[in-house]
């Protein structure tokens, strides 16, 4: 990443998705149809408040004059939005690295795939939760019953087959729950077999009152199996870039669901989280969002990236609200490992 543009954005571009994953940080759309969320900063796939296309494009055009150097474009499913290619072109033309986070299903559309490759997207992070198709499709159900595990795998294969030697990088993200800890090394091996470049097993992050918390959230009894699974993954010496060596201990430390202090946190300094309605937060943590006073609420709507995201000055602040929700941000902030891998990048 350009050192003169040190800011990373995690931009949840759109709310809509064609899947209804119980583990998603947007919540369960089937539940939200009955009980819409009302909490500040709480996301929903059925949100009516997403920015208009013209508002998204207007903000994107201001990025070239900002300190933003890398954007993770997420959703919902961003590749299903009609404005995605125009938005990505503007971002790439601004000299910014782009990582598209997708469920992989849209990659089966040849015209879209060719267009994405022509734009020079730097990496694709594809979500796949298991080598077991039935479990994966339970974790990532299609309410219409049209798509599943095989479509995701086919999309990954199509992307890898179509890319050039220079890129883009392709990676798999697996949500690790109480029910699929054994998939930490298994999905690593599968990612390598597919020809992927990186792999991130990310712990599930559900609040205590989430309907699936008791069934899926990691618990104290899981720390031993987690440690063994990560040890097996890192010892396998797979031809993949993995998160840095401290990541497994960060995952395990987050299992007790207690808070701690992170000295010099990147949240709100070199990392910012943008929601589909344009709201800007320091990071994805609900604790950090809840602690943000109304006077500090910000939006990209009607503002320029240069004003919102100037080059950081001074020292980073300590955050006393670090929790299990924060763990998944470390691989994002260490993404230089993926885009500029070393021969020993799995160490």
């Amino acid at each position: 990443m350009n050192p003169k543009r040190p800011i990373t954005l995690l931009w949840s571009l759109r709310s809509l998705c064609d899947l209804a994953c119980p583990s998603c940080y947007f919540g369960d759309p089937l539940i939200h149809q009955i009980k819409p969320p009302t909490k500040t900063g709480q996301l929903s796939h059925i949100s009516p408040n997403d920015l208009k296309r013209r508002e998204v494009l207007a903000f994107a055009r201001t990025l070239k004059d900002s300190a933003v150097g890398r954007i993770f474009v997420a959703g919902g499913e961003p590749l299903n939005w009609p404005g995605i290619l125009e938005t990505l072109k503007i971002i790439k033309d601004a000299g910014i690295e782009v990582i598209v986070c997708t469920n992989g299903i849209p990659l089966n559309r040849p015209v879209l795939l060719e267009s994405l490759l022509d734009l020079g997207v730097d990496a694709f992070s594809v979500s796949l939760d298991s080598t077991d198709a039935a479990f994966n499709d339970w974790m990532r159900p299609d309410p219409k019953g049209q798509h599943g595990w095989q479509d995701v795998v086919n999309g990954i294969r199509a992307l890898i087959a179509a890319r050039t030697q220079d890129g883009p990088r392709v990676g798999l993200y697996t949500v690790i729950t109480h029910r699929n800890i054994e998939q930490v090394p298994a999905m690593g091996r599968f990612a390598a077999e597919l020809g992927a470049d990186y792999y991130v097993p990310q712990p599930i992050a559900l609040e205590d009152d989430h309907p699936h918390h008791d069934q899926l959230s990691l618990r104290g009894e899981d720390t031993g199996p987690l440690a063994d699974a990560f040890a097996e993954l890192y010892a396998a010496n797979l031809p993949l870039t993995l998160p840095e060596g401290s990541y497994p201990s960060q995952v395990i430390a987050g299992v007790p669901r207690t808070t701690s202090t992170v000295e010099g946190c990147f949240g709100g300094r070199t990392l910012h989280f943008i929601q589909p309605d344009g709201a800007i937060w320091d990071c994805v943590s609900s604790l950090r969002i809840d602690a943000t006073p109304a006077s500090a609420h910000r939006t990209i709507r009607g503002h320029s990236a240069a004003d919102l995201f100037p080059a950081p000055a001074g020292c980073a602040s300590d955050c006393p609200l670090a929790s299990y929700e924060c763990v998944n941000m470390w691989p994002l902030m260490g993404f230089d490992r993926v885009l500029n891998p070393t021969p020993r990048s799995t160490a």
Side-chain angles (χ1 to χ4, degrees):
M1 193 158 106
N2 186 340
K4 294 182 179 180
R5 306 181 75 170
I7 292 178
T8 294
L9 300 182
L10 172 56
W11 190 356
S12 291
L13 195 60
R14 311 308 289 171
S15 294
L16 291 177
C17 188
D18 45 356
L19 302 182
C21 311
S23 62
C24 186
Y25 67 123
F26 272 75
D28 190 325
L30 301 179
I31 294 174
H32 286 175
Q33 288 177 2
I34 301 171
K35 186 180 179 181
T38 57
K39 186 178 178 181
T40 299
Q42 189 174 3
L43 294 166
S44 174
H45 285 307
I46 56 176
S47 172
N49 301 316
D50 286 14
L51 293 180
K52 304 296 183 184
R53 181 171 178 165
R54 57 178 172 75
E55 294 174 308
V56 171
L57 298 178
F59 170 74
R61 292 187 184 102
T62 70
L63 285 163
K64 65 180 183 296
D65 298 319
S66 74
V68 175
R70 180 177 295 157
I71 300 179
F72 291 84
V73 176
E77 175 47 60
L79 295 183
N80 286 340
W81 180 49
I84 186 61
L85 294 176
E86 186 176 6
T87 302
L88 293 180
K89 184 179 188 308
I90 292 171
I91 296 172
K92 285 301 303 177
D93 287 348
I96 295 171
E97 295 172 352
V98 171
I99 298 89
V100 172
C101 307
T102 174
N103 64 33
I105 296 170
L107 298 175
N108 290 286
R109 289 147 49 190
V111 174
L112 174 63
L113 179 56
E114 181 180 359
S115 298
L116 291 168
L117 295 176
D118 288 344
L119 287 174
V121 172
D122 296 274
F124 290 83
S125 294
V126 183
S127 298
L128 193 69
D129 289 341
S130 181
T131 56
D132 181 336
F135 181 82
N136 180 84
D137 294 349
W138 178 83
M139 282 286 291
R140 298 185 176 277
D142 177 359
K144 297 180 180 179
Q146 296 177 339
H147 300 290
W149 184 91
Q150 191 62 60
D151 298 287
V152 180
V153 173
N154 289 345
I156 296 168
R157 286 175 172 153
L159 172 58
I160 291 175
R163 66 177 176 172
T164 67
Q165 187 175 0
D166 296 329
R169 308 287 286 176
V170 179
L172 270 61
Y173 265 71
T174 296
V175 175
I176 302 303
T177 75
H178 173 69
R179 295 186 55 188
N180 69 331
I181 293 172
E182 77 286 348
Q183 289 296 310
V184 170
M187 280 299 300
R189 291 190 294 270
F190 187 58
E193 291 170 6
L194 287 172
D197 304 295
Y198 61 99
Y199 169 55
V200 180
Q202 59 177 30
I204 193 167
L206 300 179
E207 295 189 19
D208 291 348
D209 61 351
H210 191 284
H212 302 288
H213 167 68
D214 291 343
Q215 183 180 19
L216 295 178
S217 290
L218 296 165
R219 56 197 74 169
E221 67 196 62
D222 295 328
T223 56
L226 268 175
D228 292 342
F230 272 108
E232 181 181 343
L233 172 65
Y234 279 70
N237 199 28
L238 297 168
L240 295 167
T241 299
L242 302 176
E244 62 179 351
S246 62
Y247 179 70
S249 62
Q250 291 172 330
V251 173
I252 293 169
V255 171
R257 306 174 75 83
T258 57
T259 57
S260 60
T261 297
V262 173
E263 296 181 359
C265 184
F266 43 68
R269 188 173 189 269
T270 54
L271 171 69
H272 301 268
F273 175 44
I274 303 176
Q275 294 183 328
D277 64 356
I280 306 168
W281 306 102
D282 289 348
C283 68
V284 300
S285 168
S286 63
L287 297 177
R288 190 77 174 254
I289 291 173
D290 290 346
T292 304
S295 59
H297 289 184
R298 300 187 299 160
T299 179
I300 66 172
R301 180 184 276 119
H303 295 280
S304 74
D307 293 335
L308 293 168
F309 309 116
C315 298
S317 300
D318 299 341
C319 178
L321 298 175
S323 74
Y324 67 95
E325 293 183 274
C326 307
V327 175
N328 296 325
M329 296 300 100
W330 266 265
L332 299 189
M333 299 305 291
F335 211 76
D336 280 344
R337 297 169 57 80
V338 171
L339 297 181
N340 303 289
T342 64
R344 299 297 298 173
S345 59
T346 58

